[in-house]
Amino acid sequence: MTEQKPVLRLEGIVKTFPGVRALDGVDFDVRPGEVHALMGENGAGKSTLMKVLAGMHQPNEGRILIDDKPVVMTNPIAAKENGVILIHQELSLAEEMTVAENVFLGELPRKRFGLVDWKTLDDRVGTILKQLNCDFGPRTRIGSLSIAKKQMCEIARALTHSAKVVVFDEPTASLTDSEKVVLFDIIKDLQKDGVGIIYISHRMEETFKITDRISVLRDGAYRGTLNTAETTEDEVTHLMIGRTLDTSNGTNVSNRGEVKLSVRNLSCGNLFHDISFDVHAGEIVGFYGLVGAGRTEIAETLFGLRRHSHGQIMLDGKEVTINSPVEAIANGISLVPESRKEQGLVLGMNCRDNMTLPQISDLTQGPFVSGGAEVDIYKDYQKRLEIKAPSWRSIVGNLSGGNQQKIVIGKWLSMKPKVLIVDEPTRGIDVGSKSEIHNLLRELAGQGYAIIVISSEMPEVLRVSDRIVAMYSGRIMRTFSAAEVTEDSLIHAISGLGGTDAAA
Amino acid sequence: MTDTPQKTSSGGLNKAHVAQFMARQGILVAFILFIIVFTMANPRFLAVDNILGVIRSSTIIGVMALGVTFVVISGNLDLSVGSMMSFSTIVVLDLHDKLGPLLAIPAMFGMTMCLGAFIGFLVGYLRLNSLIVTLGMLSAIHGLTLTYSGGKNMDIADKEGTWFDVFGQGVVFGLPVPILIFGLLALVLGLLLARTPFGRQVYAVGGNGTAATFSGIRRARVVFLCYLMSSFCVAFAGMLQASRSMGSQNTVGQGLELEVLAAVILGGASLMGGSGAIYKTVIGVLILGFIQNGLLLVGLEFYVQFVVTWVIIILAVWLDVAAKRGKLWSPIA
């Protein structure tokens, strides 16, 4: 806790948009060599603050100081020149170009006549990639890399500048556990070099693992800074949402009924093999495993988006053939997909139209859609799921992530499914809404729905499931009951280490 | 229920509404100014017979624009309508003398809609890029028309002895028949798009095709039907054209695809898909028609309209984009 002079200080930042006071006098600072977490629910103002810092928004009041000197960030280039580098949540790489070209995009080294100096470029990028322990070269095409590796390229891009402050915005959202370890090592290296790091994440666990201090925003206002070593998750959560959350574990009272869905020996190419499981009415079966373990692919097969090569799917004891989402829906299977924005919602449409989309053909009066019936369905589920939207006419793209996700869940619940599959129910959603959605899923199970939850977050799987299916590389390794599961045994099973008892 | 974020967002919505409203009105305001200026330059501009004349001459473009609106909202393009209209005009004129009008019209509709179905199959089911497919079809159908007609122009031999001229030249209750047909088609297709499940699915497919698939919408079929709809409208346009002139060159629709697209864009449909409406397209058609007519009335050569039309479209698109981002320029290049 040496009281160093901050490398970056934001003082009394106010930013208003028409009708909204997005930032209301926010103070924030970063010391060299520290990792400072910025936390808050969606819409709390984190992104706006970072956009002010990066010169994408101009603050109405307040100032930015770097090394105690006031600076004006007129645009992202000015921010870069002042040593502030943003690593975006949404990657901004040119897919068809090479790693090297992307890393130096806009500032490629030149030779005479303005030609690109490929040799220098390869050398410099090669050095940086080695520094980052990357297993790909500067000439690799970006499009051929995984999301995690693309993120490495973004980081490499940051390292080409003499960065004083690096902002990581939800960097682990799409990383596997082993990739996270690499990222955290890189952050440590940056720390050693005296770079100040701003770390934005919804994930408590990793925030507590790698940060030195945590600052919290709520409703655009600064709520305080805590030393990570001296605080608890509850205290941070309390600051973020202004109340305490019920996140108790193990309250899953199973009142399971008859078998709704049976899957027997299901296989699909090299994606998954010999998958068998049952889902009963009134229970949640959690599917846990690493990215690429085949969980989403099973969901997509059950929903008719993929064809399986072997095996049977039985609903209520009868074998069914499902070759398209239309057939899946007709058989009573609903899927809340992994990616809400790409697969779940038509963002430009209003709340009501999104919610009734799968059943629109049935909501007719004569040849026309019955607007009244639609509004009834929307209002019903808006109440039940506590969706906060100004009206059914509100464009879905303007809602927060949590409310968007509730629209998708409402859309599928209103179909009265026999089996509800929820893939990554809370990805990119703030803690408050997360816990609401967890409670909601439990409630639905209580009402007798048969539910499959697929998740990459262990606390989530542990919290909602009655049984947990552990997958590794396209196979089911083990099925746990909520009573017997432990974190260690679960991690063991999804790492493909075989056996169940070998201590971790 | 009423907490802070709700308050702020509804406040933001109001502003956004105002901005959107202004953008839409912006085009209308410019249009009204335009009418005032041109009326002062030539009072005949607002005479009833001139207005009816403008609408009447806009009907062929207008009818095709109705169909293309479906295609554009579904997130695709249709550049083949001009050359497809040449085809249907030539076919109906030719068959008129061979089969009589009663059989010629349905036969022509069938043949034209086969072309639409073919395009719909390529774009919908084979998922080929619509720009490439319809640009190719523009040329292919042109060739087909020339082959069919043997390169010659078509004429109805006995122009007095047929009732076929009623569609293009008739008048009912003081209103020209083509205007009635355009109005009726706009009404029916407007209801189809705005009020039926199919219409909703068209918006969903154009707004987010993947999400539409995940919602159990048969995306390929929706796209297919949009092209079928487009060719159905083209067949109507061909019938109007043939009936108006009772004879035609085999290149009569050449270049019209751009005017049709212009009208749809002027109406505010996004080329990205997912937005637009039949009534907006009708407004776009009328704006385009009046501007072109006004330019003629003030004594400019007709070819000036090609330049002016596109200046106006770029202005319209710019206004639309500017309203969405709240600024005239993008702050970040």
Side-chain angles (χ1 to χ4, degrees), chain A residues 341-342 345 369 374 411-412, chain B residues 195 197 200 208 211 214-215:
Chain A
K341 289 186 178 168
E342 274 108 52
L345 296 165
V369 174
E374 278 193 285
K411 159 168 150 182
W412 290 111
Chain B
R195 291 288 177 79
R200 186 74 61 78
N208 183 348
F214 272 78
S215 301

Side-chain angles (χ1 to χ4, degrees), chain A residues 2-181:
Chain A
T2 41
E3 280 296 321
Q4 273 178 293
K5 267 201 174 158
V7 55
L8 166 81
R9 204 158 74 219
L10 302 172
E11 288 182 351
I13 301 288
V14 174
K15 175 69 192 172
T16 57
F17 295 107
V20 192
R21 202 170 169 87
L23 293 174
D24 195 2
V26 174
D27 299 318
F28 186 80
D29 67 63
V30 189
R31 299 175 196 141
E34 110 173 309
V35 182
H36 193 158
L38 182 61
M39 298 192 81
E41 297 193 275
N42 286 342
K46 291 167 302 187
S47 305
T48 314
L49 188 64
M50 289 306 111
K51 281 183 178 160
V52 167
L53 179 59
M56 286 187 252
H57 289 323
Q58 296 309 312
N60 302 75
E61 285 169 44
R63 47 183 204 154
I64 303 172
L65 297 104
I66 288 187
D67 291 331
D68 272 341
K69 283 190 285 283
V71 291
V72 182
M73 306 287 196
T74 43
N75 55 45
I77 297 162
K80 230 184 231 178
E81 282 167 356
N82 280 304
V84 176
I85 310 287
L86 225 83
I87 295 176
H88 293 276
Q89 196 173 351
E90 274 122 33
L91 302 172
S92 50
L93 298 164
E95 294 279 319
E96 292 300 326
M97 295 172 91
T98 65
V99 171
E101 286 169 312
N102 267 285
V103 168
F104 277 91
L105 202 63
E107 43 209 349
L108 295 168
R110 299 294 172 89
K111 294 192 296 194
R112 265 181 309 161
F113 311 123
L115 297 174
V116 174
D117 184 350
W118 293 108
K119 202 180 157 331
T120 313
L121 179 67
D122 281 356
D123 288 349
R124 287 173 65 181
V125 175
T127 317
I128 297 171
L129 292 180
K130 218 169 280 163
Q131 204 182 326
L132 295 177
N133 281 325
C134 293
D135 60 357
F136 51 89
R139 290 282 171 110
T140 317
R141 200 176 61 89
I142 289 286
S144 68
L145 296 177
S146 70
I147 296 185
K149 288 177 180 170
K150 287 181 189 168
Q151 202 146 24
M152 292 299 161
C153 298
E154 285 268 4
I155 295 169
R157 193 194 269 179
L159 295 181
T160 62
H161 300 270
S162 49
K164 287 181 182 152
V165 177
V166 178
V167 182
F168 288 91
D169 190 358
E170 290 280 356
T172 57
S174 45
L175 297 192
T176 62
D177 287 336
S178 54
E179 289 164 339
K180 275 183 210 166
V181 174

